[in-house]
Amino acid sequence: QVPQVESGGGSVQAGGSLRLSCAASQSMTCMGWFRRRPAKELEGVAGFYRVGSPEYADSLKGRFTISRDNEKNVVYLQMNNLKPEDTAMYYCVAKSGYCGYALRASTFGTWGQGTQVTVSS
């Protein structure tokens, strides 16, 4: 399975916005985003199942929005009102077949290479 390709990371000042994109090589049952902040554990940011509502980390609801284009096998993460603590490597994740909980890392078998987001104060 070919890993997803992320894009859209970069540097932004606090209060700014970024949109991450992730393209999968084939249709996936679920897709989402994780991040690893400096000196922090890997955490689930947002995730989509094939059907139903997306999942969000509670701390990010209202600022981050995940969306998808099933025809293109693309998932997006719109990040608004960014804060310095959002600085992290963001990873796109995907899974075909049965999906478990979309904010659990073990759910996903295919990870992208990551895209860096840096938010300055």
Side-chain angles (χ1 to χ4, degrees), residues 6-104:
E6 302 105 332
S7 61
S11 298
V12 64
Q13 289 191 327
S17 298
L18 285 173
R19 189 175 83 152
L20 306 182
S21 300
C22 172
S25 60
Q26 62 188 71
S27 177
M28 295 294 187
T29 308
C30 53
M31 295 183 72
W33 295 91
F34 279 69
R35 69 181 184 182
R36 189 184 297 277
R37 295 184 287 172
K40 299 284 188 180
E41 293 184 355
L42 188 67
E43 59 181 326
V45 173
F48 255 127
Y49 306 102
R50 191 67 179 175
V51 295
S53 300
E55 303 274 5
Y56 289 97
D58 288 341
S59 62
L60 300 176
K61 287 179 181 177
R63 294 196 300 121
F64 287 20
T65 302
I66 191 171
S67 60
R68 63 187 173 184
D69 184 331
N70 285 337
E71 289 190 1
K72 297 180 180 179
N73 300 324
V74 175
V75 63
Y76 304 97
L77 184 68
Q78 178 68 42
M79 304 183 293
N80 297 329
N81 190 22
L82 283 162
K83 304 176 180 180
E85 53 263 40
D86 294 318
T87 294
M89 185 70 80
Y90 285 74
Y91 297 93
C92 179
V93 292
K95 176 74 165 62
S96 59
Y98 172 76
C99 280
Y101 182 47
L103 297 183
R104 183 180 298 124

